[in-house]
Amino acid sequence: MNCGRSVDVEPLFRELLAQEDGEQVFDITVVKPSAFVEYGLGCLEQLADSGDHSARSVRNNLRVMVAGGDGTVGWVLGCLGELYVQNRGPVPPVAVIPLGTGNDLSRSFGWGASFPFSWKAAAKRSLYKAILGTVSCLDSWHIVVSMPEEGEEQELDLPHSLRHLGECTFYDDGTAEGELSETVCCFDGVFYNYFSIGMDAQVAYGFHQLRDEKPFLASGPLSNKLIYAGYTCKQGWFFTQCISDPELRGLTNIIRLSIKKMDSSEWEHIPVPSSVRAIVALNLHNYASGRNPWGNLKPEYLEKKGFVEAQSDDGLLEIFGLKQGWHASLVMVELISAKHIAQAAAIRLEIKGGQWRDAYMQMDGEPWKQPLSTEYSTFVDIKRVPYPSMIISGADR
């Protein structure tokens, strides 16, 4: 068991599991998921290898429940995914107790939008479903950001789901349009629901900064959404000022988008619509607290655009754009669909700074401010991880 932000969830599950032997509930602010994978599962594996049949049975049938938001769930999934790399199967599937703001990953697999106030009864039901629920596959996506290293060390506050790789080599295979730096610094991570760049990430970044500085203001899902709404207006989604500030213009000024389609090894340049102020690459049907901005598209439209019906394990990301706040608002209430841009099996974004000093990015609700060079391009590469993540369905029972 892994518990996220809540003060009450950890003792609740400790009480429910008190009759069992051994440590089963972990606070991930104390015991990191990577430590659980390395030492907790490693200990079970050593016991199993020494002939302990009970340890082998526990290891082979282990299921993990994560209490937290999408970012916390993604963090745990990413650490469990290392078992594939290390050839340490089977990989435990994951169930979800939704404690975040949007909880889109939780919604997508039947665990709901929030955790009910009848905590104890709900916890018992969740444990029951985690034990007996069927397991589904979920695509995961590897992201690498390559940024120019320009002498002075740049201060970059990354989410815990991203890791620094240090100096690395960027291979241009003909897609780059801007200048390339001789020295490149890289960081990478994995996401499960979405990656976005632009105004929506800027709003999320502002909210996270406030929550870190004044946590008493962001005390629950309702207050979180009210604060989000305030930042949405403050950051210029609805009223773009008529000034020369380039940060209030469309992303087409700084972004070059290239994709690879399914079963293709060639990059294809995709024009970014001039009106788009946020670009989202979406893996699931749920985004921004359960909305479906891609929409339920008719077969005729799919055929016309060369798209296929979106699935969470189809090896494709749906790329769409959001314009002004009025457009985004209509998309969020599902009166219209977002601006469909492409479906892709791999994505490369070239970000040309120029007058832009920063670009705001986020993945699975975890935002950061990406510094840009005035001279050299920054690149974001996204490709599918070659093994699936395992999610337990909460809708079975």
Side-chain angles (χ1 to χ4, degrees), residues 177-198:
E177 189 176 66
E179 293 291 324
L180 302 178
S181 173
E182 292 183 4
T183 308
V184 176
C185 177
C186 298
F187 56 89
D188 77 337
V190 176
F191 68 90
Y192 301 86
N193 190 3
Y194 68 89
F195 165 83
S196 73
I197 179 171

Side-chain angles (χ1 to χ4, degrees), residues 8-306:
D8 299 314
V9 170
E10 184 181 353
L12 171 65
F13 279 101
R14 288 192 184 278
E15 178 186 342
L16 289 172
L17 296 168
Q19 71 276 16
E20 302 291 343
D21 294 326
E23 187 81 4
Q24 295 189 82
V25 183
F26 303 94
D27 180 347
I28 63 173
T29 63
V30 178
V31 180
K32 299 293 188 285
S34 56
F36 169 75
V37 170
E38 183 175 355
Y39 301 110
L41 297 187
C43 180
L44 277 175
E45 290 163 359
Q46 287 181 1
L47 290 171
D49 291 342
S50 66
D52 189 326
H53 297 293
S54 295
R56 184 176 300 280
S57 177
V58 170
R59 175 63 184 89
N60 290 342
N61 295 286
L62 186 70
R63 292 187 170 203
V64 175
M65 177 171 279
V66 182
D70 289 344
T72 304
V73 178
W75 186 14
V76 174
L77 284 172
C79 292
L80 291 173
E82 289 298 310
L83 293 171
Y84 283 110
V85 179
Q86 298 166 11
N87 197 26
R88 291 170 56 195
V91 176
V94 169
V96 183
I97 296 276
L99 298 181
T101 302
N103 298 314
D104 291 304
L105 200 153
S106 171
R107 296 169 194 261
S108 297
F109 290 92
W111 292 100
S114 61
F115 199 55
F117 287 106
S118 55
W119 288 79
K120 195 163 187 177
K124 287 182 177 179
R125 288 196 301 270
S126 295
L127 282 171
Y128 182 68
K129 290 191 287 187
I131 293 168
L132 299 176
T134 58
V135 178
S136 302
C137 292
L138 168 68
D139 284 339
S140 50
W141 297 86
H142 183 226
I143 179 171
V144 178
V145 180
S146 305
M147 55 184 288
E149 204 169 45
E150 299 185 300
E152 297 182 8
E153 187 176 345
Q154 294 166 299
E155 194 172 317
L156 190 56
D157 185 18
L158 295 175
H160 56 66
S161 52
L162 293 169
R163 60 178 180 175
H164 283 281
L165 299 177
E167 188 174 323
C168 57
T169 303
F170 176 78
Y171 296 99
D172 175 30
D173 47 7
T175 62
E177 189 176 66
E179 293 291 324
L180 302 178
S181 173
E182 292 183 4
T183 308
V184 176
C185 177
C186 298
F187 56 89
D188 77 337
V190 176
F191 68 90
Y192 301 86
N193 190 3
Y194 68 89
F195 165 83
S196 73
I197 179 171
M199 191 60 76
D200 71 322
Q202 185 171 350
V203 171
Y205 181 81
F207 166 76
H208 277 251
Q209 292 290 104
L210 178 67
R211 187 179 67 180
D212 292 341
E213 293 170 6
K214 301 177 180 178
F216 58 88
L217 292 178
S219 56
L222 180 58
S223 60
N224 289 350
K225 288 172 184 176
L226 290 173
I227 295 170
Y228 257 111
Y231 268 106
T232 297
C233 296
K234 178 183 176 183
Q235 299 292 352
W237 260 108
F238 288 92
F239 303 104
T240 301
Q241 304 174 37
C242 296
I243 59 177
S244 59
D245 187 350
E247 291 187 0
L248 294 175
R249 300 175 186 168
L251 289 176
T252 188
N253 294 307
I254 65 162
I255 282 183
R256 177 178 171 85
L257 169 63
S258 301
I259 69 166
K260 287 182 181 179
K261 294 184 176 179
M262 184 67 79
D263 300 323
S264 174
S265 60
E266 299 296 323
W267 288 107
E268 177 183 339
H269 171 61
I270 303 294
V272 176
S274 59
S275 57
V276 164
R277 304 183 66 200
I279 293 176
V280 182
L282 185 65
N283 187 40
L284 301 176
H285 293 292
N286 288 295
Y287 168 81
S289 300
R291 276 65 176 184
N292 182 11
W294 185 257
N296 297 309
L297 307 182
K298 295 181 179 179
E300 310 84 62
Y301 180 83
L302 291 172
E303 185 177 359
K304 176 183 176 183
K305 300 287 288 185

